[in-house]
Each structure stands twice: as C-alpha cells, then as structure tokens.
C-alpha cells in the first residue's frame, strides 16, 4: 500500500519537525506532514507545561499529541518499571518522567534537572516529596500514596536510615540521593546524642537516633546486673552502653574524664559520685545508678581517726596519763 506508506512517512517527518516547541510553521503543505506537525506541536506544549489547544482540525490533532504525552508520563509515574507506550508522544512523556526520577536519585536535593520537560521537572520534585514524607514517619510505616515516583523517594530514604542504623557513620553503601539523606539524618542524630542530652529538632530519624542512644545509656545505668551483663541490641544502643561502662572503669582506675562523650562522662561521674560519698562518710548509697553503686561498693571506707586511751603503757612499761591531759 504505497499511499499508506507515503502518508506514514510524511506524518513521521511532520512529527519530527514539530517536536521542537520553537519550530517555525511547516513549509510543507501536504496533509500527512501537517497532521504530524500539529500532533507533535501538542506534545511540545505538554512538555513545556502549557495547556492543550482547541478549535479546528489542527488543534484537535495537537490536543491528541498533548494528551498522549501526559498519558505516557502518567504511566511512568504509576509504575517505574512499565514498558514505554507505542505512541511516540506518549513514549516521550514516559521517558521524560523516568529521566526526572533518575536525575533526582543521582543528585542532591535542590539540583534541578535539565529544563525543557514539565514531566521531568515534576517527577524530580515528586521524588523529593516522597523523601520528605519518609522523613516524617518511622521506616516501618508503609507508603500511603499512589505515585510510584513518590514511593521511590520514600523507600530510598528509609533504606538510608536502615543502613545508618546498622553501620557506623560515613560507611559507604547508599547509591541514591534519598538514601544518602536518610543515612545522614540518622547519623546526625547519633552525633548529637553523643554530646548533648537535649533532643534536637528535625526529622524523625534524627530524633530516633537520639532515643536509641539514650536507651543504651539508660540500660547501662539501670542496675549493676545490666552493667555487668551484655550490651543491649542495636548498634547505637550498644555504643552508648559501652561508653558508659568504659567511663565508670576509667574513673575506678583514676583516669581522666572525657566530656566530649556524654555516656562516658555520665559513667565516669556516677562512679566518682559513689566514691565521693563513701569518702565523705556515707554509710548507705544515696543514688541508684549502676556506676554510682559500683563506685560506692569498691571504694574503701575512710580509716577512723586514732584516739589515745586514758592510760597506756609506754615502752618502758610505766603508766602515763592520757596525752590530752
């Protein structure tokens, strides 16, 4: 069917020419070319974030291209693994939307994608919207929206938090920007808690890291049995527990405090407080902290002052009056 093939070729050429939103009016007058040009022009309007035209036959063709582009972008937003649509305009929308996600995953927050595509800009922003939703809830909270793009940001962020929970700060392993932000949020809370008892403001992961640190410290202080036992589960909890125990040990050995490590400093001070109370003549412990009780129990009581008896024998065996007399 040579006539059909000719029309197909003319329309394809028109679409190629009209795909540029700044393209001049078509110089060809054959219907196939002009139809393709109008259809691609509508797609260009959609890419630029502009409304679809309406009116005559050319506008109707343009509106179809506009709608196809948006439908392709919507397909990608609904399923990042979906196959590209057959329609060229829809395939362009699908590809642009995926490019926005790839850009957002590979660049830090605030780095805009290349201009020229509303779908690309939209999905990049949607990805970070998902990250922000993730920052507000615990990692175990399922994503409640409908956008696969937001879900990707949400999931990447929580993957980063889980990575940081298990790994010491600055451990590589996150391959997405959302994941890197999640890990940084947790590690920032961990660093804050190690030096500051006042909880910070910020995303839930930052606050949760502080809570985990405090839980390890509280576990160590709760009882001598805890202090002598195993560290609690969780890397951050165990780190705080170990720092407290080390601080108490260093105080017992007469070594200096380390104020930069809060758990260490608390353990060191608790032990010294117990030690000080014994030396001050306390018979019973005044606190219940494990470090205090250890210091209280391991510090020898002060020796009683020696007093002279009323009479005592001098080396020569002669009775002598009390020295006070």
């Amino acid at each position: 069917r040579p006539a059909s093939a000719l029309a197909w070729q003319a329309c394809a050429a028109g679409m190629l020419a009209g795909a540029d939103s700044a393209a001049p009016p078509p110089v060809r007058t054959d219907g196939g070319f002009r139809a393709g040009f109008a259809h691609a022009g509508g797609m260009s309007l959609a890419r630029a974030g502009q409304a679809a035209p309406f009116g005559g036959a050319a506008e109707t063709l343009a509106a179809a291209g506009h709608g196809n582009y948006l439908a392709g972008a919507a397909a990608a937003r609904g399923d990042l693994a979906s196959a590209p649509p057959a329609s060229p305009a829809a395939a362009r929308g699908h590809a642009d939307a995926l490019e926005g996600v790839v850009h957002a995953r590979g660049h830090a927050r605030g780095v805009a994608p290349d201009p020229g595509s509303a779908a690309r800009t939209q999905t990049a922003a949607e990805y970070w919207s998902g990250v922000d939703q993730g920052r507000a809830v615990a990692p175990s909270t399922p994503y409640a929206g409908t956008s696969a793009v937001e879900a990707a940001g949400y999931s990447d962020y929580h993957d980063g938090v889980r990575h940081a929970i298990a790994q010491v700060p600055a451990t590589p392993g996150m391959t997405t920007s959302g994941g890197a932000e999640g890990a940084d949020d947790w590690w920032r809370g961990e660093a804050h808690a190690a030096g500051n008892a006042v909880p910070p403001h910020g995303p839930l992961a930052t606050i949760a890291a502080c809570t985990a640190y405090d839980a390890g410290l509280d576990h160590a202080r709760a009882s001598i049995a805890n202090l002598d036992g195993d560290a609690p589960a969780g890397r951050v909890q165990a780190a705080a527990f170990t720092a407290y125990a080390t601080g108490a040990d260093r105080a017992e050995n007469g070594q200096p405090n380390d104020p930069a490590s809060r758990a260490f400093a608390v353990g060191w001070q608790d032990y010294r407080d117990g030690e000080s109370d014994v030396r001050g003549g306390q018979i019973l412990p005044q606190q219940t902290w494990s470090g205090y009780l250890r210091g209280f129990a391991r510090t020898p009581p002060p020796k009683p002052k020696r007093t002279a008896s009323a009479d005592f024998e001098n080396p020569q065996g002669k009775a002598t009056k009390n020295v006070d007399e």
Side-chain angles (χ1 to χ4, degrees):
R1 301 175 60 189
S4 176
L6 183 62
W8 192 98
Q9 292 169 1
C11 185
M15 289 182 65
L16 183 62
D20 181 1
S21 58
V27 294
R28 289 173 55 173
T29 59
D30 53 300
F33 182 93
R34 295 181 71 88
F37 190 93
H39 186 82
M43 178 192 73
S44 296
L45 290 174
R47 290 194 80 202
Q50 299 179 31
F54 62 92
E59 287 75 17
T60 300
L61 288 169
H66 190 281
N68 284 356
Y69 178 87
L70 296 181
R77 292 177 59 242
D79 182 2
L80 298 182
S82 60
S87 161
R92 181 67 267 174
H94 189 275
D96 283 354
L98 293 182
E99 286 173 8
V101 179
V102 171
H103 173 88
R105 276 180 152 166
H107 294 81
R109 184 190 291 268
V111 179
D114 292 337
S117 167
R120 187 162 54 224
T121 300
Q122 178 187 12
T123 51
E126 252 184 285
Y127 176 86
W128 287 109
S129 173
V131 170
D132 287 338
Q133 291 176 53
R135 297 183 92 195
V137 297
S140 58
T141 307
Y143 171 67
T146 58
S147 166
V149 180
E150 278 188 352
Y154 187 94
S155 176
D156 287 352
Y157 179 83
H158 284 154
D159 284 346
V161 174
R162 284 186 282 267
H163 172 81
I165 289 173
Q167 305 293 336
V168 297
T171 300
M174 299 315 304
T175 58
T176 66
S177 56
E181 192 163 290
D184 287 344
D185 281 351
W186 178 275
W187 286 330
R188 186 166 60 254
E190 184 179 340
H192 177 94
N196 195 328
V198 179
H201 297 289
L204 186 62
T206 301
I207 298 171
C210 294
T211 301
Y213 187 93
D214 289 343
L217 174 56
D218 292 343
H219 178 86
R221 297 185 86 191
S223 68
I224 290 290
N226 281 5
L227 187 60
D228 290 339
D230 295 331
R235 180 185 63 80
V236 176
Q237 292 90 328
F241 172 92
T242 301
Y244 179 87
T246 302
D249 288 343
R250 297 285 175 84
E252 182 177 4
N253 294 327
Q255 295 176 308
N257 194 2
D258 179 10
S261 171
R262 179 162 66 95
F264 181 103
V266 171
W268 190 92
Q269 190 61 54
D270 281 355
Y271 187 94
R272 292 300 301 271
D273 287 346
E275 181 182 64
S276 177
D277 279 358
V278 170
R279 290 176 176 170
Q282 292 289 350
I283 304 302
L284 297 175
Q286 305 299 299
Q287 299 180 28
T288 60
W289 306 124
S290 60
Y292 174 92
L293 294 175
R294 176 175 286 181
F296 195 93
R298 294 183 179 182
T299 301
K303 294 180 179 180
K305 294 181 179 179
R306 297 180 62 182
T307 59
S309 60
D311 293 304
F312 66 91
E313 296 295 327
N314 64 20
Q316 287 73 33
K318 296 180 180 180
T320 308
K321 289 186 177 181
N322 187 296
V323 294
D324 291 336
E325 297 177 359

